[in-house]
Amino acid sequence: MDKILEAVVMSSYPNNVKQGLVRRVIEAAKQPMDSEQCWSMLELSTKLFLTGDTKYKREIGKEVLEVYGHYHPEEFEEFFNVRFLLSLLQEGYGPLGKRSHYVLDYIQLGLQFVLESPSANSIFNLLRIEVLRKVCERPSPKQCAKISKLLTQHPQCIPTGKHQILFCQQLIRCIGQFQCISEGEDEIMEFLEQVNKVSGLLQRIWRTQTSAILPSLKELFTIISSTEEQEVPSNALASVVQFVPLEIMDGVIRNLTNDDSITDVQMMTAISRMIDWVSWPLGKNIDKWIIALLKGLAAVKKFSILIEVTLSKIEKVFSKLLYPIVREGALSVLQYMLLSFQHSHEAFHLLLPHIPRLVASLKKEDSNSATSSLEQLAELIHCMFFRFSGFPDLYEPVLEAVKALPIPNEDRIKHLLGQNAWTSQKNELACFYPRLASKSDTGKIGLINLGNTCYMNSIIQSLFMASDFRHSVLNLAEGNSQPLMTKLQWLFAFLEHSQRPAISPESFLSASWPPWFTPGAQQDCSEYLKYLLDRLHEEEKTGKRIYQKLKESSFMSQAIEQHYLNKTLIEKMFGGKMMTKIRCLKCLNVSSREEAFTDLSLAFPPPDRHVLSAGRASVLPVEEIGPQFIEPPGSPSQIMGSPWVRRKTHVSGDRAANMVPVETLGFQEPGNQATPLNSNAVGMDPAKDPLTAFGEQTCSPKDSRSVPDLINYFLSPEKLTAENKYHCEKCASLQDAEKVAELTEGPHYLILTLLRFSFDPRTMRRKKILDNVSIPLVLKLPVLVAPEESEDVWQRRKDRAAPSSSFVSVIYDLCSVVVHSGISSESGHYYCYSRECSDTITHGQPRDGAQKPASEKQLDFEIQWYLFNDTRVSFSSFESVSNVTSFFPKDTAYVLFYRQRRGRQSCPVHEAGPESSRPHGEPSLNKDLMEAISKDNVLYLQEQEKEARNRAAYISALPKSPLWWRDFDRDKDDDNSSGGCSPAAGGGGSGSFHGLVF
């Protein structure tokens, strides 16, 4: 019968004819027959099953074997013996070089017919040994899957005892070497199925024998932590982790992170490879294990590992959000990586170029998964904006991309940031930042944030960029008996000459720290600035004078020189004077008091106070600022404001002007009246004046405030009535009165603080006024001048009738803007925009000493702006300064620095300020300071060299991931590609899918 079957199978008849003949043979095989005939049929069917060159032949062999197993069990058991199986497993079946690949399938088929036979235990014992030997030989994924299928169907064949643990470990090593060579989708799906069969076997073993789990995990960690030169372990290992019970996760992680035998390099290699597992599709709990290990490393303060791994892997994790099949796990890992990386903006900033493209792709996908991910991503981005504010230029494209998505409230943001931080002790991370490879392209140096010290950093950088003040500080001689000023000198010197990208202001912080400030808490930068300037002023004023006086201008008068020598440096640079006058409305008696100031605190006008329309100037005219005691005007119509306010005379030009407003300054032709800068009020052709392009930025919009608005409100008369009545000495009783403030001396550097914080009795917290305030580049400020100070000016006028006092316009250029980001003074972040303002030296001055027209002065917008945000310094622009609140409503200007411009329109007494009459050269530092800077620069170079070596060792230990960052590149290069890996699709392409997983 075997000859007939063989002849039929080998014949050229059509398959339907063959099938009919084979049916007859199989039916005949169900009848009793002798042993020899059975053996012949079993040998033939075995041959067909193992070496058949077509699927049809193998199917026939399978059918015949099943028939003989059912109807001739004794003969089948005798044929399917231990010796035969050992030969099949060790030697194979078929001609040399063409051994059959179906031996394990054959054994699985035959086992079902010998389970109750006396030889069953012998066969099981044989298979327990042989499957262990097989997996030690590292079979292919397909063969491993067949072993797993065999053992899953016949668990009696699974090795036991110590061999079982060894079997699990060797099976994991097999999985670690799995590679999918083909890029076809069908082949990939087959590969995934094979891997799931193998990992499923491990799950079965672990369920029945939990003692095998920990040794298996130890072997898994050994594989992924290996730093030897070898092929990268397969991401298929992710399929193993998904079956580890979550209840043992805490113990496993704790043991791993506290194992002293595991080096940092091994741990970093392991966690890096685990993070790559986010690419593995359909894996469960993989993200939980990755996050648990990251948290475990944070618990034992392995911050170096966490930083390196986060920065090297976060972009790859982010790229996986393109793929729905792995999006959920990748987003969980991304959220933890970003929310825990709170000591530096580096990780978040790596993602900035990719966020707009990803958001666009998710919107195009239009699926539930994409919508949910967009909302979570937007929440994550706003958390990062909140934590790392101060980068408006970088954040604008990202903000534009997510503007339509929900914005979390501040409590939610604080909750997310609070529960994910690596550590609550900020000083534990102090040594890990800034991680800056080189100095900023700007040539400027940043300041390290020592734990919510951005308020100090912003003030220090603003003072440093006040070039006149900086040069004066750097020129101080040794032995000046001013310890705080000396520390500031050292800090400025390092900011000027250090090779470091950022320096630590720790020494200066400890010396200038207000005693009522809480360490580690956010503080008010304006409060710190006032305290610092007062300390420096009092230190010099109380006898600790500077060692060598500042060199004054050779053509400065003796009186003015003595005037300055009697002032402290803080008074020279930031000191101004203000006259407060109170007039009794009954007897018209006026009392006055002059006070010194270093800054003007500008309150916001109440909502019902309207700003003048643009048809006039968007400022209050000087007539409404304060009283003048001059001759009555020739016409009653010239009287403006309150009845006791007289017309003030403009003395800055050759012609008489009607008023001196607090205003933004526009360029004008010589001899023309200065007018506020607007589209129709500039004395030049707008097409020829580049500054007019900034007209909308330097003048307040119709419904917003401007700095001139706030100054005019500050200087406008205030009625003292009801509970605020004034006690008039002449009347000897409380009377209604009017109070007004007038500037009598303009400071060299004008500091303006916008009073944005007010106490809210309902919440018992200081709330913030978020109104946008437009900031002018140039500000014209009226200063009241005594007659003896302005006599020379009045002598040049045709009208010789000089009044008892008069106003002159002092022009100020914007130098720095300190921005507060946040909604309360107790939280948020400070950063600052700054530029160096100095007087330009003009050649060929007219003989009469008159200044050249303003149009010939260096245009303000041409001066480079910088953005200082702790350690980061970048180029910026006035446009960014003007628009920051428009893009980021919580980022508002808080403290402004203006520098007085020299010129005919400035107050003649104060125009020759310190260091203003000559160009600045590089100050020569004292010997000790120069040596300290030189030594630190050498030390920095040595640190860089050491760090480079250490970093090279770390980086070389990081596993190389195939197809590292092609996800976005592929999308960028081939926008019209189709398939599941294009950002808009939800299915699965072929080559792209291979790139995703492998």
Side-chain angles (χ1 to χ4, degrees):
M1 189 179 294
D2 58 303
K3 300 296 183 184
I4 297 173
L5 179 60
E6 186 175 11
V8 170
V9 171
M10 299 302 176
S11 68
S12 58
Y13 294 131
N15 281 349
N16 59 341
V17 176
K18 290 182 182 180
Q19 192 63 34
L21 297 174
V22 169
R23 284 290 118 206
R24 293 186 179 184
V25 173
I26 290 176
E27 289 298 324
K30 296 179 181 179
Q31 304 301 319
M33 62 179 64
D34 58 54
S35 178
E36 184 178 351
Q37 184 62 46
C38 285
W39 271 75
S40 299
M41 288 297 292
L42 286 170
E43 286 178 344
L44 176 60
S45 58
T46 298
K47 178 181 177 182
L48 290 174
F49 185 92
L50 291 175
T51 62
D53 55 0
T54 64
K55 185 177 180 180
Y56 176 72
K57 292 178 182 179
R58 291 194 297 274
E59 287 293 331
I60 292 176
K62 178 183 177 182
E63 287 188 54
V64 174
L65 284 170
E66 289 175 338
V67 168
Y68 277 85
H70 280 294
Y71 293 96
H72 306 281
E74 294 181 1
E75 287 78 6
F76 188 89
E77 180 183 343
E78 185 179 356
F79 178 82
F80 200 78
N81 59 65
V82 171
R83 185 185 298 273
F84 175 58
L85 294 181
L86 181 63
S87 173
L88 285 178
L89 290 168
Q90 292 189 353
E91 299 175 13
Y93 188 94
L96 192 64
K98 292 184 180 181
R99 299 298 191 188
S100 174
H101 299 294
Y102 303 99
V103 169
L104 292 172
D105 304 87
Y106 177 81
I107 294 175
Q108 181 182 341
L109 176 65
L111 274 178
Q112 60 183 312
F113 304 112
V114 296
L115 294 178
E116 305 298 329
S117 69
S119 62
N121 286 333
S122 299
I123 293 175
F124 294 155
N125 288 333
L126 169 68
L127 290 176
R128 291 187 192 113
I129 297 172
E130 285 301 308
V131 293
L132 177 57
R133 182 184 63 81
K134 279 283 186 184
V135 296
C136 289
E137 293 175 353
R138 307 288 180 263
S140 66
K142 189 173 185 178
Q143 290 301 309
C144 263
K146 289 182 178 181
I147 293 174
S148 300
K149 185 178 179 182
L150 169 65
L151 299 184
T152 300
Q153 187 170 345
H154 302 288
Q156 308 94 318
C157 302
I158 297 175
T160 57
K162 292 182 179 180
H163 286 171
Q164 186 178 79
I165 294 176
L166 180 60
F167 175 77
C168 290
Q169 292 174 329
Q170 294 302 317
L171 201 59
I172 289 173
R173 286 207 168 266
C174 286
I175 297 174
Q177 294 188 4
F178 284 177
Q179 300 294 336
C180 183
I181 301 174
S182 174
E183 294 191 4
E185 186 171 342
D186 292 340
E187 290 81 359
I188 291 174
M189 296 306 299
E190 182 183 2
F191 174 78
L192 294 176
E193 185 179 350
Q194 293 164 357
V195 173
N196 284 337
K197 285 181 180 178
V198 178
S199 57
L201 173 62
L202 283 171
Q203 181 190 26
R204 183 184 182 93
I205 295 174
W206 290 345
R207 280 179 179 173
T208 58
Q209 197 69 31
T210 55
S211 60
I213 297 178
L214 291 180
S216 300
L217 291 181
K218 185 176 181 180
E219 189 69 19
L220 173 63
F221 186 82
T222 301
I223 295 170
I224 63 175
S225 64
S226 175
T227 58
E228 299 175 3
E229 289 295 329
Q230 59 181 16
E231 193 171 356
V232 177
S234 172
N235 282 348
L237 288 170
S239 64
V240 175
V241 175
Q242 66 180 329
F243 295 123
V244 180
L246 292 179
E247 52 265 26
I248 72 168
M249 183 166 64
D250 290 342
V252 169
I253 297 299
R254 189 165 51 251
N255 290 336
L256 271 180
T257 54
N258 288 281
D259 189 342
D260 294 336
S261 66
I262 300 174
T263 67
D264 285 357
V265 173
Q266 289 175 322
M267 183 62 76
M268 186 173 64
T269 304
I271 185 62
S272 297
R273 287 170 173 163
M274 284 183 67
I275 291 173
D276 287 342
W277 292 350
V278 297
S279 302
W280 187 257
L282 306 178
K284 298 177 182 179
N285 301 328
I286 295 172
D287 56 321
K288 294 182 175 65
W289 279 94
I290 294 172
I291 293 171
L293 184 51
L294 291 172
K295 288 182 176 179
L297 291 172
V300 295
K301 303 185 182 356
K302 296 286 187 180
F303 301 127
S304 295
I305 297 175
L306 291 168
I307 290 171
E308 288 291 344
V309 168
T310 301
L311 294 179
S312 64
K313 292 295 183 180
I314 195 166
E315 287 179 283
K316 183 172 186 181
V317 173
F318 183 79
S319 73
K320 300 309 170 188
L321 299 183
L322 285 169
Y323 308 103
I325 198 170
V326 297
R327 182 176 293 152
E328 183 179 356
L331 185 57
S332 296
V333 175
L334 178 72
Q335 284 175 324
Y336 179 77
M337 292 176 84
L338 275 182
L339 291 173
S340 62
F341 202 94
Q342 294 186 30
H343 72 286
S344 167
H345 56 260
E346 289 176 275
F348 178 52
H349 285 192
L350 286 174
L351 305 181
L352 294 180
H354 313 299
I355 290 175
R357 276 187 290 167
L358 176 68
V359 171
S361 298
L362 292 177
K363 286 180 178 178
K364 189 189 297 185
E365 184 180 312
D366 192 25
S367 66
N368 291 335
S369 169
T371 302
S372 174
S373 297
L374 272 174
E375 292 177 356
Q376 294 179 68
L377 183 63
E379 182 177 70
L380 189 58
I381 290 170
H382 283 289
C383 285
M384 294 297 100
F385 284 167
F386 181 88
R387 180 64 186 87
F388 305 115
S389 55
F391 302 93
D393 298 346
L394 292 177
Y395 292 169
E396 283 179 16
V398 177
L399 187 66
E400 181 69 20
V402 301
K403 65 181 180 181
L405 298 172
I407 300 175
N409 59 44
E410 186 170 347
D411 290 338
R412 169 66 176 169
I413 290 174
K414 289 180 177 178
H415 171 72
L416 290 172
L417 292 172
Q419 71 177 6
N420 289 286
W422 284 338
T423 174
S424 60
Q425 305 299 321
K426 291 182 170 55
N427 59 337
E428 292 182 342
L429 285 166
C431 61
F432 293 102
Y433 63 139
R435 258 193 44 146
L436 302 173
S438 60
K439 208 170 180 178
S440 165
D441 291 339
T442 63
K444 305 296 182 183
I445 296 174
L447 290 169
I448 295 173
N449 191 315
L450 301 174
N452 279 331
T453 58
C454 54
Y455 66 91
M456 179 190 70
N457 290 349
S458 297
I459 292 300
I460 294 300
Q461 294 286 18
S462 297
L463 292 175
F464 177 79
M465 292 297 285
S467 54
D468 298 331
F469 178 64
R470 179 179 76 243
H471 281 256
S472 298
V473 171
L474 292 175
N475 275 320
L476 290 177
E478 295 181 80
N480 54 60
S481 300
Q482 300 178 71
L484 184 57
M485 186 68 81
T486 299
K487 286 186 178 293
L488 183 62
Q489 181 187 44
W490 279 61
L491 183 57
F492 278 5
F494 273 82
L495 284 174
E496 183 86 38
H497 299 288
S498 178
Q499 294 299 314
R500 295 180 183 273
I503 60 176
S504 171
E506 185 174 4
S507 176
F508 187 78
L509 174 65
S510 61
S512 63
W513 182 277
W516 61 90
F517 276 16
T518 303
Q522 185 61 277
Q523 306 294 343
D524 188 328
C525 75
S526 173
E527 186 178 2
Y528 173 77
L529 175 61
K530 288 182 175 69
Y531 176 79
L532 175 61
L533 296 181
D534 186 60
R535 276 276 310 275
L536 293 171
H537 167 69
E538 290 298 327
E539 188 178 76
E540 183 177 352
K541 182 181 176 182
T542 55
K544 298 174 182 178
R545 309 291 295 177
I546 53 176
Y547 178 74
Q548 183 180 2
K549 301 295 184 182
L550 295 173
K551 296 181 179 179
E552 304 295 339
S553 170
S554 59
F555 52 80
M556 183 181 292
S557 69
Q558 193 69 27
I560 295 178
E561 183 174 358
Q562 187 62 36
H563 174 74
Y564 274 102
L565 287 175
N566 291 332
K567 289 187 173 184
T568 66
L569 179 59
I570 299 304
E571 287 178 311
K572 294 175 187 177
M573 291 295 172
F574 305 104
K577 290 183 180 179
M578 184 185 345
M579 181 76 72
T580 302
K581 298 180 180 180
I582 301 178
R583 179 168 184 166
C584 175
L585 295 181
K586 181 178 181 181
C587 68
L588 301 183
N589 180 58
V590 177
S591 64
S592 61
R593 183 178 75 253
E594 189 174 51
E595 297 175 307
F597 68 88
T598 54
D599 80 308
L600 295 181
S601 298
L602 306 180
F604 282 73
D608 57 350
R609 183 182 178 96
H610 299 290
V611 180
L612 296 182
S613 65
R616 300 168 66 188
S618 62
V619 291
L620 296 176
V622 74
E623 285 87 340
E624 295 183 35
I625 292 180
Q628 288 296 302
F629 306 104
I630 60 174
E631 292 296 323
S635 166
S637 64
Q638 294 173 340
I639 300 177
M640 301 180 64
S642 61
W644 66 294
V645 175
R646 297 291 184 264
R647 178 180 173 188
K648 299 178 180 179
T649 308
H650 182 60
V651 299
S652 61
D654 293 335
R655 300 181 183 177
N658 292 329
M659 60 183 179
V660 180
V662 178
E663 57 179 289
T664 60
L665 180 66
F667 290 116
Q668 69 262 14
E669 295 293 343
N672 289 349
Q673 177 183 339
T675 57
L677 181 61
N678 56 51
S679 59
N680 299 315
V682 180
M684 295 179 61
D685 181 2
K688 298 179 181 179
D689 182 11
L691 194 59
T692 58
F694 294 102
E696 294 182 359
Q697 299 165 7
T698 55
C699 291
S700 61
K702 182 177 180 180
D703 298 324
S704 69
R705 302 292 184 184
S706 68
V707 170
D709 292 338
L710 302 189
I711 297 177
N712 281 312
Y713 179 62
F714 176 82
L715 296 176
S716 62
E718 176 187 1
K719 288 290 183 71
L720 302 178
T721 59
E723 295 180 355
N724 294 324
K725 282 188 176 183
Y726 166 69
H727 185 273
C728 177
E729 294 182 357
K730 189 173 182 180
C731 299
S733 62
L734 293 175
Q735 298 293 336
D736 289 344
E738 197 168 43
K739 182 174 74 171
V740 71
E742 294 174 332
L743 300 179
T744 57
E745 182 177 323
H748 187 63
Y749 282 101
L750 173 67
I751 301 175
L752 303 176
T753 301
L754 311 188
L755 296 179
R756 292 189 175 275
F757 301 113
S758 60
F759 184 75
D760 188 346
R762 293 177 303 169
T763 61
M764 301 301 291
R765 296 177 65 182
R766 293 175 72 192
K767 65 179 182 180
K768 181 179 177 182
I769 301 172
L770 295 173
D771 294 3
N772 191 4
V773 177
S774 61
I775 305 170
L777 262 175
V778 186
L779 189 67
K780 185 188 290 185
L781 202 64
V783 175
L784 185 66
V785 181
E788 62 271 15
E789 294 177 338
S790 56
E791 182 179 353
D792 58 333
V793 176
W794 282 95
Q795 287 176 353
R796 292 197 296 266
R797 295 177 53 86
K798 295 180 181 179
D799 182 8
R800 299 291 181 178
S804 59
S805 60
S806 59
F807 278 93
V808 294
S809 291
V810 180
I811 300 174
Y812 283 91
D813 296 298
L814 182 65
C815 294
S816 294
V817 178
V818 178
V819 176
H820 177 264
S821 176
I823 60 173
S824 73
S825 60
E826 290 83 11
S827 63
H829 180 64
Y830 289 99
Y831 58 94
C832 74
Y833 294 92
S834 290
R835 61 173 182 165
E836 292 203 47
C837 291
S838 60
D839 297 312
T840 56
I841 305 300
T842 57
H843 300 283
Q845 286 280 76
R847 293 183 180 180
D848 60 0
Q851 186 185 9
K852 287 192 174 183
S855 58
E856 294 185 22
K857 187 181 184 296
Q858 180 181 358
L859 296 179
D860 291 277
F861 67 87
E862 293 178 349
I863 302 176
Q864 179 63 59
W865 283 89
Y866 302 94
L867 175 57
F868 294 90
N869 187 357
D870 290 334
T871 57
R872 183 179 184 270
V873 186
S874 58
F875 291 111
S876 191
S877 65
F878 181 65
E879 183 178 8
S880 179
V881 179
S882 304
N883 294 334
V884 62
T885 307
S886 302
F887 283 102
F888 302 92
K890 295 178 184 178
D891 291 28
T892 53
Y894 184 40
V895 178
L896 313 177
F897 287 72
Y898 280 89
R899 179 185 183 275
Q900 186 180 143
R901 184 190 296 181
R902 289 188 62 213
R904 192 174 40 167
Q905 289 180 318
S906 297
C907 176
V909 173
H910 310 304
E911 68 177 7
E915 300 294 329
S916 62
S917 59
R918 59 180 176 83
H920 292 308
E922 287 298 325
S924 57
L925 304 179
N926 64 64
K927 182 179 179 182
D928 290 343
L929 188 48
M930 285 299 297
E931 287 182 357
I933 294 173
S934 298
K935 287 181 180 179
D936 185 71
N937 286 340
V938 172
L939 177 62
Y940 171 66
L941 294 176
Q942 293 171 345
E943 290 172 358
Q944 287 293 95
E945 183 179 356
K946 182 179 179 181
E947 181 182 347
R949 288 197 298 266
N950 293 339
R951 184 169 173 77
Y954 265 81
I955 295 301
S956 63
L958 284 173
K960 297 179 181 178
S961 301
L963 300 174
W964 166 240
W965 184 249
R966 295 186 186 174
D967 305 280
F968 278 112
D969 292 340
R970 183 186 302 114
D971 178 43
K972 177 178 64 177
D973 297 336
D974 186 10
D975 292 332
N976 298 320
S977 61
S978 61
C981 290
S982 67
S990 57
S992 296
F993 190 83
H994 183 275
L996 161 66
V997 183
F998 315 108

